[in-house]
């Protein structure tokens, strides 16, 4: 397997790096974190560069990038501004993927060009108060009432619903079928009567809002579904590996950013008359970070390559996701150690990584669930 980047990928990464150094300075990252503000300005500029269209086919206004292209993009974006990369994943990648694969031709023509142009944002709502890891046991119910769907229930942990023009909402449409078979993906207007979105306070990733959603007799047109009715779960599973690759790219970029901050700090800070980078215990931490990030990056590139080749990669994408998320969390913890008391101060960036990193071990499936996925594949017949 060849992980050498091609000329276009190298050019894209270099152009993105130069763009982010100019348009996304660290002061902007800090300000969005402090104000818990969605980075609208950055998104408009990313859209103007055509970068929101990477996961969207050319015929629908995107650039039709590969999974590897998207991973490289997210890695670099996360290296500068992790929350922006998470928002890109949540508001663009998931929707582009679902609509691109399962939407009708009319939905693709209507929604994808606007997504690529930065005119639409999406949120994805699967989790509920009583269904997280066991997501298919969700209870939010949708029934046909005349020529409309009528939705009632409660969703939990919906990222970016405050900024979303549409929510891809998973609801049960057949209570008789086995739990994985009676679920449908709805295209929900968050402003529809009966939808109440409440913001939740959380530890990190402050620019990406998190919400619970209450649905009371919400009416949705009969055709406002993505994919066939009752096929929602099967469809979500089909694109899960690709989405895990994207999250792994975010983790690798964010972990790389921690390492770079640790390298800089340890070569400035002096104790006992020496740079702290001269202490072997500091060097061991730096070496471990380098090794783990390198490994996580290669595992991520492997899974993205398999996705692009159309080779089954459920185990490999889970491995990439597990390695990269735990690497990022460990890097942030060691970053806090390297910075001593200074890392604990809000004016330094390490505390943000310490807070932000934890979601990496939850979002694409918890570490326990990823281990279950990996071991299930290992033990298959
Ligand atoms: C900041 C944030 C953003 C999120 N964004 C979204 C979003 O946009 N859309 C969305 O739908 N969801 C979102 N989620 C929800 C996320 O996907 C869930 O939190 C996650 O799937 C875990 O579910 P849970 O929190 O209910 O934990 P639970 O499923 O209750 O798990 C609790 C513990 O039990 C363990 N566990 C569960 N089952 C098993 C098992 N079979 N074997 C061993 N251990 C097990 C888990 O690993 C965990 O340690 C978000 C969550 C957070 C925190």
């Amino acid at each position: 397997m060849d992980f050498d980047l091609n000329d276009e990928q190298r050019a894209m990464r270099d152009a993105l790096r130069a763009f982010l150094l100019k348009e996304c300075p660290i002061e902007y990252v800090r300000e969005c974190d402090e104000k818990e503000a969605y980075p609208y300005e950055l998104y408009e500029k990313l859209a103007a560069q055509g970068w929101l269209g990477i996961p969207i086919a050319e015929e629908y206004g995107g650039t039709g990038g590969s999974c590897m292209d998207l991973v490289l993009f997210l890695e670099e974006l996360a290296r500068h501004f992790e929350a922006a990369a998470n928002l890109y994943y949540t508001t663009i990648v998931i929707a582009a993927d679902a609509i691109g694969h399962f939407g009708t031709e009319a939905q693709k023509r209507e929604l994808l060009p606007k997504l690529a142009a930065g005119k639409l944002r999406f949120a994805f709502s699967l989790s509920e108060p009583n269904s997280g890891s066991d997501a298919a046991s969700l209870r939010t119910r949708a029934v046909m009432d005349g020529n409309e769907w009528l939705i009632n229930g409660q969703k939990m942990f919906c990222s970016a619903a405050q900024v979303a023009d549409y929510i891809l909402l998973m609801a049960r449409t057949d209570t008789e079928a086995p739990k994985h078979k009676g679920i449908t993906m709805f295209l929900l207007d968050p402003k529809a009567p009966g939808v109440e979105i409440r913001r939740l306070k959380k530890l990190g990733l402050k620019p990406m809002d998190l919400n619970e959603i209450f649905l009371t007799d919400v009416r949705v047109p009969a055709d406002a579904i993505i994919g066939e009715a009752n096929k929602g779960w099967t469809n979500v599973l089909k694109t899960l590996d690709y989405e895990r690759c994207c999250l792994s790219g975010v983790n690798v970029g964010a972990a790389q950013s921690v390492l770079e901050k640790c390298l800089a700090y340890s070569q400035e800070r002096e104790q006992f008359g020496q740079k702290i980078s001269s202490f072997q215990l500091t060097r061991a931490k730096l070496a471990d970070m380098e090794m783990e990030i390198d490994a996580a990056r290669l595992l991520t590139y492997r899974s993205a390559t398999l996705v692009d080749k159309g080779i089954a990669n459920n185990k490999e994408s889970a491995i990439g996701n597990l390695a990269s998320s735990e690497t990022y969390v460990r890097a942030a913890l060691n970053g806090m150690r390297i910075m001593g008391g200074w890392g604990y101060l809000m004016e330094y960036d390490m505390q943000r990584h310490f807070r932000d990193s934890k979601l990496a071990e939850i979002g694409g499936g918890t570490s326990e669930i990823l281990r279950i996925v990996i071991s299930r594949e290992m033990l298959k017949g």
Side-chain angles (χ1 to χ4, degrees):
M1 211 176 263
D2 179 4
F3 296 139
D4 255 2
L5 307 188
N6 62 36
D7 289 347
E8 288 86 46
Q9 288 168 335
R10 230 175 268 121
M12 187 269 286
R13 197 190 50 190
D14 293 349
L16 178 62
R17 190 167 290 175
F19 167 89
L20 291 169
L21 282 172
K22 181 162 173 271
E23 305 293 352
C24 183
I26 192 68
E27 293 76 19
Y28 180 66
V29 175
R30 289 176 189 151
E31 188 186 330
C32 291
D33 180 61
E34 266 169 47
K35 294 186 175 162
E36 308 198 4
Y38 182 93
Y40 284 106
E41 307 78 11
L42 179 63
Y43 266 73
E44 272 172 29
K45 290 173 188 167
L46 287 170
Q49 298 289 324
W51 280 319
L52 299 191
I54 296 174
I56 296 168
E58 284 180 34
E59 56 182 314
Y60 301 115
T63 53
S66 64
C67 182
M68 188 68 179
D69 294 338
L70 194 52
V71 161
L72 291 171
F73 174 85
L74 288 168
E75 181 185 344
E76 189 62 30
L77 182 55
R79 191 173 148 248
H80 293 257
F81 190 176
E82 184 197 350
N86 270 288
L87 279 163
Y88 187 105
Y89 168 78
T90 302
T91 59
I92 296 163
V93 175
I94 297 182
D97 206 16
I99 298 163
H101 279 99
F102 310 113
T104 61
E105 192 53 33
Q107 286 169 335
K108 289 182 199 176
R109 300 231 163 267
E110 163 69 15
L111 300 171
L112 293 178
K114 290 182 187 160
L115 201 56
K119 307 259 180 270
L120 283 183
R121 290 179 184 80
F122 281 73
F124 174 61
S125 185
L126 171 65
S127 304
E128 296 189 357
N130 293 308
S131 57
S133 301
D134 182 14
S137 65
L138 61 85
R139 291 189 203 151
T140 292
R141 186 85 175 93
V143 291
M144 277 308 274
D145 185 42
N147 59 356
E148 290 175 319
W149 293 97
L150 190 63
I151 309 182
N152 279 285
Q154 185 188 345
K155 306 303 278 185
M156 189 68 192
F157 296 126
C158 182
S159 296
Q162 301 282 339
V163 297
D165 302 285
Y166 288 106
I167 298 174
L168 296 177
L169 182 111
M170 307 298 281
R172 185 160 305 285
T173 37
D174 183 350
T175 47
E176 305 297 317
K179 70 176 178 181
H180 297 101
K181 298 235 163 106
I183 296 173
T184 301
M185 180 184 277
F186 288 88
L187 193 59
L188 176 74
D189 174 359
K191 295 190 181 66
V195 179
E196 191 194 341
I197 299 173
R198 288 190 204 154
R199 191 166 182 151
L200 298 159
K201 288 190 176 175
K202 62 176 163 42
L203 180 68
L205 284 173
K206 301 281 189 179
M208 185 167 79
D209 56 88
L210 185 67
N211 307 275
E212 53 186 341
I213 304 177
F214 298 86
L215 303 138
T216 312
D217 290 336
V218 179
R219 294 197 166 270
V220 170
D223 60 355
I225 61 174
I226 303 290
E228 274 177 65
N230 298 320
K231 293 269 175 70
W233 183 263
T234 329
N235 289 346
V236 163
L237 283 192
K238 282 183 194 153
T239 56
L240 192 60
D241 296 338
Y242 166 81
E243 288 168 6
R244 282 195 175 132
C245 286
C246 294
L247 284 175
S248 305
V250 175
N251 297 337
V252 170
Q256 179 66 35
S257 172
V258 169
L259 174 55
E260 287 164 11
K261 290 179 178 104
C262 290
L263 280 169
Y265 185 82
S266 63
Q267 291 175 89
E268 276 167 22
R269 177 74 175 166
E270 291 187 7
Q271 287 295 286
F272 301 98
Q274 301 170 50
K275 308 277 184 212
I276 63 167
S277 60
S278 67
F279 302 137
Q280 287 184 339
L281 286 172
T282 306
R283 289 187 171 208
K285 288 187 183 70
L286 296 173
D288 284 351
M289 270 189 219
E290 174 84 355
M291 172 190 68
E292 290 186 22
I293 294 169
D294 224 8
R297 179 179 290 114
L298 291 174
L299 289 168
T300 299
Y301 290 0
R302 176 181 71 169
S303 54
T305 305
L306 291 173
V307 168
D308 286 333
K309 287 186 172 172
I311 298 171
N313 64 99
N314 193 230
K315 183 176 74 171
E316 290 78 4
S317 62
I319 289 175
N321 203 175
L322 182 62
S324 63
S325 55
E326 295 196 346
T327 290
Y328 180 30
V329 170
R330 260 194 305 276
L333 184 58
N334 275 324
M336 291 293 282
R337 290 182 177 128
I338 286 174
M339 292 194 65
W342 301 90
Y344 206 70
L345 299 183
M346 298 308 275
E347 68 193 77
Y348 284 87
D349 296 295
M350 201 53 72
Q351 51 75 29
R352 191 179 60 254
H353 287 294
F354 187 59
R355 291 183 284 113
D356 288 357
S357 60
K358 189 57 202 160
L359 179 63
E361 290 186 337
I362 302 170
T366 63
S367 299
E368 289 78 12
I369 295 301
L370 291 173
R371 285 188 166 83
I372 289 172
V373 172
I374 295 163
S375 56
R376 190 177 53 211
E377 290 290 321
M378 291 162 64
L379 295 165
K380 251 186 190 168

